[in-house]
Amino acid sequence: DIVMTQSPTSMSISVGDRVTMNCKASQNVGSNVDWYQQKTGQSLKLLIYKPSNRYTGAPDRFTGSGSGTDFTFTISNMQAEDLAVYYCMQSKSYPWTFGGGTKLELK
Amino acid sequence: QVQLKESGPGLVQPSETLSLTCTVSGFSLTSYSVHWVRQHSGKSLEWMGRMWSDGHTSYNSAFTSRLSISRDTSKSQVFLKMNSLQTEDTGTYYCARSFYRSDGYAMDAWGQGTSVTVSS
């Protein structure tokens, strides 16, 4: 199985910060990486797919980039409503696999 | 409006069979795939399997021997059955729809999840 390693596991941030998190695949997944947001007690929400396309309704402060094994997710201007856990996921090959998540907390 | 909603027993005895239902609305099961994903309380996520729009299935090999996914298109429902449950199967089970774009699939709509506890 492809292992997706996310870093950091948590970040303490302030509103207005630029936030960058990473996801590294254990083998080449091409561009087949998506980013999901999960707020406390809620389900997952697709933000970015394949790996730089913003999904319908996702604010433009969310961006994704990368290819092959290294991927980055950025929030350009952190808002309070962005406090959540963010997951990357590869869909290059079965089984689809998720990273362990990056949790954003207020400083 | 696209919606998915999971339902199930909540509590299952060890060694017994889990049966979950995902009821969808706002789209057709013959046009989109539906996936099952579970999340352990420690937040890790596992993709379990998929019901394709044409009715065939794909499974995570970690579950193949005990997992079955089926559907009833007339009722817009997808079913998950998993036998020989153990305590490590405790978690929240989600169903999600995937769409095809940019040469790949992504899960763009998710149910609220249903919590399953395996305990005697």
Side-chain angles (χ1 to χ4, degrees):
Chain A
D1 296 1
I2 297 174
V3 176
M4 304 295 283
T5 303
Q6 277 186 255
S7 61
T9 55
S10 65
M11 300 178 74
S12 294
I13 46 80
S14 301
V15 171
D17 282 354
R18 180 181 180 85
V19 177
T20 298
M21 61 190 73
N22 301 295
C23 186
K24 188 172 186 68
S26 62
Q27 54 187 274
N28 189 340
V29 295
S31 61
N32 293 286
V33 166
D34 310 311
W35 291 90
Y36 296 88
Q37 177 192 64
Q38 186 177 35
K39 296 182 179 180
T40 302
Q42 296 185 18
S43 183
L44 278 78
K45 182 178 177 182
L46 176 66
L47 295 177
I48 301 288
Y49 64 96
K50 306 291 178 279
S52 57
N53 299 281
R54 198 173 295 113
Y55 186 62
T56 305
D60 59 8
R61 62 181 180 273
F62 296 120
T63 58
S65 64
S67 66
T69 60
D70 293 290
F71 299 85
T72 299
F73 177 80
T74 300
I75 306 174
S76 61
N77 177 16
M78 179 75 186
Q79 301 298 302
E81 62 262 32
D82 300 335
L83 290 174
V85 181
Y86 292 82
Y87 295 96
C88 61
M89 188 204 78
Q90 69 81 21
S91 56
K92 172 68 173 177
S93 63
Y94 290 134
W96 292 4
T97 47
F98 292 83
T102 294
K103 184 175 184 178
L104 299 186
E105 299 169 306
L106 276 178
K107 198 176 289 184
Chain B
Q1 184 183 3
V2 172
Q3 289 188 320
L4 301 94
K5 186 172 184 179
E6 306 87 349
S7 57
L11 179 66
V12 180
Q13 303 272 353
S15 81
E16 294 198 341
T17 296
L18 173 67
S19 294
L20 300 177
T21 299
C22 174
T23 303
V24 311
S25 59
F27 69 97
S28 172
L29 293 179
T30 58
S31 297
Y32 290 88
S33 291
V34 170
H35 305 248
W36 287 96
V37 175
R38 79 175 177 186
Q39 184 168 36
H40 295 108
S41 58
K43 83 182 182 184
S44 63
L45 290 154
E46 271 184 296
W47 179 85
M48 301 181 72
R50 172 184 195 168
M51 169 61 72
W52 289 80
S53 58
D54 65 1
H56 84 271
T57 51
S58 299
Y59 296 106
N60 185 333
S61 59
F63 300 99
T64 299
S65 62
R66 61 190 187 110
L67 175 66
S68 174
I69 298 174
S70 59
R71 70 179 184 179
D72 183 336
T73 56
S74 68
K75 294 183 178 179
S76 294
Q77 292 179 324
V78 179
F79 309 106
L80 176 149
K81 281 196 174 181
M82 188 163 67
N83 58 32
S84 304
L85 251 63
Q86 301 301 319
T87 54
E88 53 265 33
D89 293 312
T90 293
T92 299
Y93 288 70
Y94 295 98
C95 59
R97 181 187 86 161
S98 64
F99 73 105
Y100 185 81
R101 205 171 297 169
S102 297
D103 296 326
Y105 292 91
M107 293 183 280
D108 69 328
W110 293 68
Q112 64 195 20
T114 187
S115 180
V116 174
T117 299
V118 181
S119 175
S120 55

